[in-house]
Amino acid sequence: MTVLTLVQGDITREHADALVNAANSSLLGGGGVDGAIHRRGGPEILAECRRLRASRYGRGLPVGQAVATTAGRLDARWVIHTVGPVFSREEDRSELLASCHRASLRVADELGARTVAFPAISTGVYRWPLDDAARIAVETVRNTTTAVEEVVFVLFDGPAYEAFARRLG
């Protein structure tokens, strides 16, 4: 059974086998978690992302999928990049957000990762409501069969931490 824990802080400072990056589909860096991971991780991450774009992901990484690269200078072995959906009041995209978590855990299993750190995917510029994102993340991780021993949700601020704490109960 996978142990779920919470930490309030900066995911780029977290020690884990794999850090999940809330990436944009270009895989070439951006704002928020994506930009922070690329900045702190260094050019090795960007170089691998460019190779992925030149080969398998010429049009970018699709929403809900995941792919791994080196972690560069981060205190991890790998970064698992996943593209979360933009929140919409008109269209239920919950399954895509759940897919980000399942796909990331599947990639972690393929890599042999035992500890994985997740941010609050899609809650920044993609505007997913925190309480709903926390519900989807926690339920999905709890209900996904994986060899990962520990999942740490690394939440940037107090409101995100509290939303996830309510879901962990």
Side-chain angles (χ1 to χ4, degrees):
M1 187 168 115
T2 305
V3 174
L4 278 63
T5 58
L6 301 178
V7 172
Q8 184 176 333
D10 177 350
I11 196 166
T12 68
R13 303 269 186 204
E14 193 67 23
H15 169 74
D17 292 336
L19 304 180
V20 176
N21 179 19
N24 66 51
S25 63
S26 77
L27 294 175
L28 303 178
V33 170
D34 194 22
I37 282 177
H38 276 272
R39 279 190 303 278
R40 191 172 305 270
E44 300 88 352
I45 296 172
L46 182 58
E48 279 197 36
C49 285
R50 284 189 171 133
R51 283 193 290 279
L52 287 168
R53 284 298 306 272
S55 60
R56 289 188 288 175
Y57 299 104
R59 293 186 173 172
L61 183 64
V63 173
Q65 293 187 21
V67 66
T69 65
T70 181
R73 300 173 188 159
L74 297 167
D75 192 9
R77 293 182 64 191
W78 304 283
V79 171
I80 299 172
H81 306 267
T82 190
V83 181
V86 174
F87 179 75
S88 170
R89 294 198 187 286
E90 291 77 41
E91 179 185 354
D92 182 4
R93 298 177 180 166
S94 300
E95 181 51 36
L96 287 169
L97 184 54
S99 179
C100 290
H101 295 84
R102 280 193 305 271
S104 295
L105 290 171
R106 184 178 61 251
V107 170
D109 283 342
E110 290 167 2
L111 296 168
R114 294 293 174 248
T115 57
V116 177
F118 278 91
I121 298 168
S122 287
T123 62
V125 70
Y126 289 177
R127 302 178 318 277
W128 205 285
L130 269 173
D131 286 330
D132 195 45
R135 176 187 62 79
I136 292 166
V138 170
E139 286 177 6
T140 302
V141 170
R142 278 187 173 148
N143 295 321
T144 299
T145 301
T146 179
V148 171
E149 295 167 4
E150 182 181 17
V151 166
V152 180
F153 291 105
V154 183
L155 296 315
F156 186 71
D157 60 17
Y161 183 91
E162 292 303 320
F164 277 73
R166 284 190 295 275
R167 292 299 171 175
L168 279 183

